[in-house]
Amino acid sequence: MAVSGRARAEALDAADPLAGFRDRFVTADGGRIYLDGNSLGRLGVDARAGLTAAIDDWGARLVGGWHDWIDLPARAGDELAPLVGASPGELLVCDSVTVNLYKLADAVLTVRPGAVVLAESDFPTDRYVLAGLAARHGREAIDAGSDPSQTLRGCGEVALVALSHVDYRSGALADMRAITAAAHAAGGMMLWDLSHSVGAVAVELERCDADLAVGCTYKYLNAGPGAPGFLYVHTRHQHALRSPIQGWFGQREQFAMGAEYEPAEGITRFLAGTPSVLGIEAVRAGARLVAEAGITALRDKSLGLTALAIDLHDERLAPLGFELATPREPDRRGSHVSLAHPDGWRICRALIERADVVPDFREPDVVRLGMAPLYTRFTDVWDAIERLVRLIDAGEHLASDPTPTRVT
């Protein structure tokens, strides 16, 4: 579709039913355009108020607050459950994605024989954890390839298939229903990483018959840097699986302080140590805001934002040497658009340092533009591309330091 100047973006903003949600976030950053919500979401006004209230509660009640705080992981999980198509009693907000992935994957490999199927292109923490567990359990690790359903049809005995719902680098959206069915047909359990989809993409774990899932809350749920992750275990598996981390919060009679460990019934057996009370309060605020907006409306806007970015790429960036690294089909992409360029690192740095646009970079050559539908405007996308074009035309990126930094 031809892009008819900024007027198109202005019209889309004027008709946006979610426009008012931008005011629910802290946006006091002048003319900066923030397109990294797929990495770290903005601070929500409700989250800040919730954290302030929790801090005041801590100050007032001290240890007495634990009578209410102790069940926060499960209560927050129940609030988050509808956003991923789960039922009450199937989610916990706890630990990190890495720890939760380890707990669930090890629990499966302890009770089921067969290989581990993973994507060699997946997010590093997923690959590292899964490869390490496969080696520890003496299992073959099989690359899912570009077509996991086809790969699974050619596998032997499979214990576990673990993949990301949205690819962190390209933004490609996996077919959850088809891949889950293929995993089950191969004899394996299916574990999904929802880190780049929850809050921006409709997730239907139960309808897709998924077994397990993990995810983070600091991207489209806007719960803040280092906010707790979450884990999902379908009710049918909760009794058979045991967490390898036998922490006291997963003990049946926690305060009996008994000599022997006996896992609790239900989802709480996957808890480990003391939960982050303040972090969970921020997760609850984020989940409530997403629920208020509605995932259907969020997904519609996300697709509109990414479509505009793709159209602008075709019209203005492709002639400058960029290549679209995100699927064009709406049902095959998440909420970020990846632009490949041989000089991607310096372009990313120049956008931040010289154009006041905040994207991020992923190896080897990808500049990611993350559109968070709760607060990203269509004019933000248009203006960011305009600034990018001007930067490239002027050759300003060539003055950026080509040396990679630790945080990209």
Side-chain angles (χ1 to χ4, degrees):
M1 179 186 296
V3 182
S4 56
R6 197 174 190 272
R8 174 187 171 190
E10 292 171 350
L12 289 168
D13 280 336
D16 177 16
L18 299 179
F21 281 91
R22 182 178 171 85
D23 295 334
R24 307 278 287 275
F25 291 87
V26 176
T27 56
D29 44 14
R32 178 178 301 155
I33 299 173
Y34 189 69
L35 295 181
D36 205 7
N38 57 313
S39 185
L40 177 65
R42 284 186 178 274
L43 170 62
V45 173
D46 293 350
R48 183 165 60 183
L51 285 168
T52 299
I55 291 169
D56 291 343
D57 187 36
W58 163 28
R61 293 200 290 168
L62 298 173
V63 74
W66 277 112
H67 293 286
D68 294 324
W69 302 334
I70 197 165
D71 294 323
L72 273 177
R75 296 209 311 270
D78 287 348
E79 290 185 77
L80 187 56
L83 304 184
V84 295
S87 297
E90 293 185 325
L91 258 79
L92 292 173
V93 175
C94 61
D95 301 314
S96 67
V97 173
T98 303
V99 172
N100 288 331
L101 181 66
Y102 179 91
K103 289 189 291 188
L104 297 188
D106 186 84
V108 172
L109 295 179
T110 299
V111 299
R112 297 173 77 101
V116 177
V117 178
L118 67 153
E120 292 182 355
S121 61
D122 213 335
F123 191 77
T125 207
D126 296 60
R127 292 186 280 112
Y128 302 159
V129 167
L130 294 166
L133 284 172
R136 186 170 303 163
H137 285 269
R139 310 297 178 83
E140 182 184 8
I142 300 172
D143 180 23
S146 60
D147 186 349
S149 295
Q150 179 64 35
T151 299
L152 285 164
R153 283 192 283 271
C155 289
E157 189 174 31
V158 172
L160 176 68
V161 182
L163 301 170
S164 288
H165 190 208
V166 172
D167 184 272
Y168 83 102
R169 185 181 283 108
S170 70
L173 175 65
D175 187 335
M176 179 178 285
R177 187 183 300 275
I179 295 172
T180 300
H184 290 166
M189 292 179 66
M190 187 72 228
L191 192 164
W192 287 102
D193 184 339
L194 307 177
S195 295
H196 282 85
S197 51
V198 61
V201 174
V203 180
E204 298 182 324
L205 289 172
E206 288 187 347
R207 288 188 181 182
C208 293
D209 204 26
D211 303 295
L212 310 163
V214 297
C216 76
T217 62
Y218 48 78
K219 302 181 190 301
Y220 300 111
L221 292 179
N222 309 292
F230 64 89
L231 63 82
Y232 160 85
V233 181
H234 194 286
T235 305
R236 66 177 178 265
H237 298 304
Q238 290 178 9
H239 180 72
L241 299 179
R242 288 183 57 156
S243 172
I245 304 176
Q246 297 185 168
W248 74 307
F249 264 73
Q251 166 73 309
R252 181 189 294 270
E253 296 292 340
Q254 180 180 4
F255 285 94
M257 307 293 182
E260 302 296 327
Y261 180 82
E262 184 179 2
E265 292 296 326
I267 192 67
T268 56
R269 64 172 46 201
F270 296 97
L271 289 171
T274 305
S276 169
V277 172
L278 300 182
I280 293 176
E281 287 296 347
V283 174
R284 297 176 77 192
R288 290 167 182 167
L289 195 59
V290 168
E292 181 183 343
I295 195 62
T296 299
L298 289 167
R299 177 60 171 160
D300 287 345
K301 183 177 177 183
S302 167
L303 289 175
L305 290 164
T306 53
L308 178 60
I310 290 171
D311 289 345
L312 286 166
H313 162 270
D314 293 347
E315 183 175 295
R316 308 198 64 191
L317 298 181
L320 299 177
F322 287 87
E323 181 179 348
L324 184 67
T326 297
R328 294 179 177 277
E329 302 87 343
D331 61 350
R332 292 192 57 235
R333 66 176 185 262
S335 202
H336 69 266
V337 170
S338 295
L339 306 172
H341 191 283
D343 215 4
W345 168 250
R346 290 202 294 184
I347 290 171
C348 182
R349 295 313 308 168
L351 278 170
I352 297 169
E353 297 164 359
R354 298 168 179 270
D356 215 9
V357 175
V358 182
D360 69 3
F361 175 80
R362 289 295 177 262
E363 292 287 352
D365 59 0
V366 169
V367 178
R368 298 191 310 177
L369 306 179
M371 277 71 82
L374 276 172
Y375 52 78
T376 303
R377 298 171 297 196
F378 290 92
T379 46
D380 290 335
V381 176
W382 198 95
D383 291 343
I385 301 298
E386 173 67 15
R387 294 184 193 183
L388 174 54
V389 170
R390 291 179 180 176
L391 182 149
I392 298 295
D393 282 344
E396 292 186 56
H397 62 294
L398 300 176
S400 294
D401 187 346
T403 306
T405 60
R406 181 179 179 187
V407 179
T408 59

